[in-house]
Amino acid sequence: MRRLSKALGPTATVSLGVLVVMVLIGLIEAFLPTAEFKAVASGPRRMAPGAEYVFGTDNLGRSVLARVLEGIRLTFIVSAASVLAAALVGATIGMVAAYRGGWADTAIAMTTDVLFAFPAMILGLIIAAIMGPGTLSAVVAIFFIVLPTMIRVVRSATLSIVERDFVTAAEISGASAARVLFVHVAPNIAAVTVVQMAYLLSIGMIIESGLSFLGLGVQPPASSLGALLRENSAFLTVAPWMVLAPGAVLSLAIFCVNFLGDAARAVIEPSHPRPLT
Amino acid sequence: MGAVLGIAKMVAVRLALAAATIWAVATLVFFGMQMIEGSYIDVFFPLATPEQKAQLTAEYGLDGSAVQQYFGWLRAMLDGNFGTSLVTKEPVLDELVRRLPLTLELGVLALIIIALIGFPLGVLAGLKDKSRLSQTGRVGATVMMSIPDFVLGSFCVWLFSVYGLGLKAGGWVPISEGLGANLQHALLPAIVLSLTGLGLILATARSGVLQVRGQDHVLAAVSRGLTPGTILRRDILRNTLIPVLTLFAIIAGYLLGGAVLVETVFNLDGVGRLLAKSIGQRDYPVVQAGVILIAAVFVLLNTIADLLYAVIDPRIGGR
């Protein structure tokens, strides 16, 4: 534990701690005694933050803190699931492209170029337009937004591995392409893939909350932090805590993910301490 | 002579590629919107009988096979007819063109803020390596990239509308009615829109300068006794400019997407908010035309950036 915190540096260690707490809250939220505070008219309406209600209450007398804790879960689930799916698919495609080369590699490179040509939010809007508003379209949008980055990163990492002696040795001893890729190459690109996933997770969280804020992502009664902001934004000037508290928690979560990604990259790639993404 | 021909050929290829990309987006969006479950008629006239629905479908031009509709739509677009909004019954092109100046002004203002503040700060942070300023720059850039536009936007709307700090949060005055009043309304949303790009440029310029600083040609310039100003201009800035330029094209695209959120938060009637609203209302003609318009602007920006490179760096033109 101490070694980990030394390698990451103080800010990243705090970030890691905050994220662990948030994810834990997301996992056990259903078992927390928050239900009574989420019930309509369980408290006074639009009460400012204080000792009793740390984030205040909303227009229907629900505790904003309880609703934020509920929103954290879906924010993490939607973005993490999409990024994980994109990482698995993207890593496979990237490894195969680099290992096979030839026309398959060219075709894959061209497809990622086209996907890359679109700014993330625009791609998200196009997908929301095609699929219609909903949680699923947010998931698909994040998947396609982060997929090309994953393919590129894994492809270039694989290219540097496949020329190494142990890969040649495996090939000579008769290992199949699948065995070479998943047994010999995959463990060597795992670190790069995981660090990249941290960045992509922060992008996923921004896209999810943005789409949900526009009413195109998570739909009520389900709630993510972005959807919560949308729901409460009508009360911004009369009860600012209803909007600013979930906004602050969302920004903090994204910052922690970003900073942790920075620190992790500095550890595995000391020559490249400052990422550009 | 050969170089001129080469450049002409490259321009032609790039323009053809841009046109092909825009066409591909148009096709994708058209057939994508065909797949949507529940048509416009189902959403807006849920109580109509099947006969009435059929009549309405014909009235709105939604009958005929998808392929027939597709070619009709393409042909109409080439004639400059982008259809009629299903919601407002106005020509789509009018709706978009009316809102375009607002979105463009926000984007341009944000780019100016990014260029004038983000780039110099990033260079400074790169030059003063290991200082407190440099570390603040690094963390500050991450903070800027971590706060979603609509969160900062909401914060600013609250701050400025409750405490009245001079700038207006919401509402719009066109430039034609006075630059001062226009900026008073445009500045706040433009600043919010610029934040992520500001962070990105700051981080890129900083790491660009850090990398260039250690290179042989800079050390050689130092050992020749050139003044720091000359080295900065001749050796450092010129080499930092290329990655920063690439980023500007990317940021311009990002701003187009960010405008959707910022316009929504500040209640501004721009292209972005129209697009988001139309997706929710399933106003197909507006969504299709809006997406194509944004894709076209973005593809053109990228094409221009690519051509600019070839001018700055002759090695790229030769390929």
Side-chain angles (χ1 to χ4, degrees):
Chain A
M1 207 54 209
R2 181 166 295 165
R3 264 178 61 200
L4 181 72
S5 95
K6 201 173 172 189
L8 288 175
T11 317
T13 309
V14 174
S15 301
L16 182 64
V18 171
L19 281 178
V20 167
V21 170
M22 282 187 180
V23 170
L24 277 181
I25 286 174
L27 287 176
I28 62 167
E29 197 268 338
F31 306 106
L32 291 177
T34 53
E36 56 173 308
F37 298 103
K38 279 190 295 189
V40 170
S42 59
R45 294 174 63 198
R46 300 206 298 261
M47 194 168 108
E52 197 180 348
Y53 293 95
V54 182
F55 286 173
T57 61
D58 70 6
N59 195 43
L60 299 173
R62 295 172 291 189
S63 156
V64 175
L65 176 64
R67 305 215 62 215
V68 164
L69 296 184
E70 185 190 14
I72 286 176
R73 184 179 56 199
L74 214 49
T75 295
F76 272 114
I77 289 180
V78 170
S79 33
S82 329
V83 170
L84 195 65
L88 291 175
V89 174
T92 310
I93 295 178
M95 282 196 302
V96 171
Y99 190 61
R100 275 284 153 85
W103 64 266
D105 191 23
T106 313
I108 289 167
M110 278 172 71
T111 316
T112 52
D113 280 353
V114 170
L115 277 178
F116 248 126
F118 288 94
M121 201 61 208
I122 297 296
L123 199 58
L125 284 175
I126 294 177
I127 288 168
I130 291 175
M131 298 184 55
T135 305
L136 185 64
S137 68
V139 170
V140 175
I142 298 170
F143 178 85
F144 280 109
I145 286 167
V146 303
L147 184 67
T149 313
M150 206 70 222
I151 294 177
R152 271 195 195 178
V153 167
V154 169
R155 183 182 169 277
S156 70
T158 307
L159 278 179
S160 66
I161 299 286
V162 289
E163 284 164 7
R164 303 259 288 270
D165 290 342
F166 65 89
V167 175
T168 317
E171 284 166 342
I172 291 170
S173 61
S176 66
R179 191 178 160 79
V180 168
L181 285 182
F182 289 102
V183 176
H184 298 282
V185 175
N188 288 291
I189 58 165
V192 185
T193 311
V194 169
V195 168
Q196 200 59 38
M197 278 172 68
Y199 287 106
L200 298 180
L201 183 64
S202 78
I203 293 174
M205 290 166 78
I206 289 176
I207 297 297
E208 185 281 320
S209 55
L211 285 177
S212 297
F213 181 75
L214 292 172
L216 304 174
V218 172
Q219 302 288 320
S223 169
S224 70
L225 291 176
L228 192 58
L229 264 132
R230 172 187 175 78
E231 204 184 313
N232 290 353
S233 61
F235 302 96
L236 179 61
T237 46
V238 286
W241 57 87
M242 282 170 62
V243 177
L244 301 183
V249 171
L250 176 63
S251 305
L252 178 68
I254 297 172
F255 174 80
C256 290
V257 171
N258 266 329
F259 212 88
L260 204 57
D262 274 356
R265 180 175 295 197
V267 171
I268 69 155
E269 289 175 66
S271 59
H272 251 284
R274 314 280 178 251
L276 300 185
T277 25
Chain B
M1 196 59 208
V4 174
L5 264 182
I7 288 178
K9 193 177 153 201
M10 197 180 67
V11 171
V13 169
R14 288 295 319 181
L15 285 180
L17 212 62
T21 312
I22 295 169
W23 169 76
V25 172
T27 306
L28 188 78
V29 171
F30 181 87
F31 285 104
M33 305 267 320
Q34 295 286 322
M35 295 189 316
I36 296 178
E37 274 179 63
S39 68
Y40 170 78
I41 306 291
D42 292 330
V43 173
F44 274 78
F45 305 99
L47 299 178
T49 63
E51 292 81 41
Q52 284 170 326
K53 281 186 180 175
Q55 195 191 340
L56 285 164
T57 305
E59 205 172 292
Y60 284 101
L62 299 174
D63 52 352
S65 76
V67 177
Q68 272 173 349
Q69 283 187 43
Y70 173 67
F71 282 109
W73 177 66
L74 274 189
R75 199 172 310 128
M77 255 194 323
L78 290 177
D79 293 338
N81 176 11
F82 285 78
T84 313
S85 161
L86 299 178
V87 174
T88 64
K89 310 281 187 289
E90 294 211 24
V92 170
L93 200 59
D94 291 0
E95 298 257 349
L96 287 171
V97 168
R98 193 169 65 225
R99 291 173 170 87
L100 197 57
L102 188 154
T103 306
L104 283 183
E105 191 190 334
L106 282 185
V108 169
L109 274 178
L111 274 182
I112 292 175
I113 294 170
I114 292 168
L116 289 188
I117 298 177
F119 184 63
L121 272 183
V123 171
L124 204 63
L127 289 175
K128 306 222 177 247
D129 188 19
K130 304 226 165 77
S131 68
R132 183 171 295 168
L133 179 84
S134 189
Q135 290 310 311
T136 313
R138 190 167 78 94
V139 177
T142 309
V143 171
M144 288 183 205
M145 288 187 275
S146 301
I147 303 176
D149 291 348
F150 61 93
V151 172
L152 182 72
S154 300
F155 177 74
C156 289
V157 168
W158 166 71
L159 194 69
F160 282 81
S161 59
V162 171
Y163 295 97
L165 300 172
L167 297 176
K168 292 270 188 289
W172 188 260
V173 175
I175 297 187
S176 53
E177 290 172 30
L179 185 66
N182 170 259
L183 281 182
Q184 201 186 14
H185 288 83
L187 216 49
L188 205 52
I191 290 172
V192 170
L193 185 58
S194 70
L195 192 78
T196 303
L198 210 61
L200 206 56
I201 282 286
L202 217 167
T204 310
R206 178 178 177 274
S207 65
V209 169
L210 276 175
Q211 256 172 28
V212 173
R213 265 178 49 174
Q215 278 175 12
D216 291 345
H217 64 91
V218 177
L219 299 179
V222 174
S223 66
R224 287 209 306 276
L226 295 179
T227 62
T230 313
I231 299 174
L232 180 67
R233 209 173 49 242
R234 244 183 41 125
D235 294 288
I236 295 181
L237 283 187
R238 242 177 48 189
N239 282 297
T240 312
L241 215 55
I242 287 200
V244 168
L245 247 178
T246 325
L247 212 56
F248 261 96
I250 295 173
I251 288 177
Y254 168 83
L255 293 179
L256 289 172
V260 179
L261 288 160
V262 171
E263 285 169 11
T264 303
V265 171
F266 285 91
N267 240 324
L268 301 176
D269 198 16
V271 175
R273 205 180 109 205
L274 175 72
L275 188 63
K277 215 165 59 183
S278 304
I279 293 174
Q281 294 173 328
R282 306 193 176 199
D283 192 346
Y284 311 117
V286 177
V287 175
Q288 287 165 348
V291 167
I292 293 168
L293 179 73
I294 288 182
V297 170
F298 182 66
V299 169
L300 282 180
L301 281 174
N302 267 293
T303 309
I304 294 170
D306 279 359
L307 294 176
L308 268 182
Y309 279 150
V311 175
I312 295 175
D313 189 344
R315 283 172 302 184
I316 297 171
R319 277 196 306 200

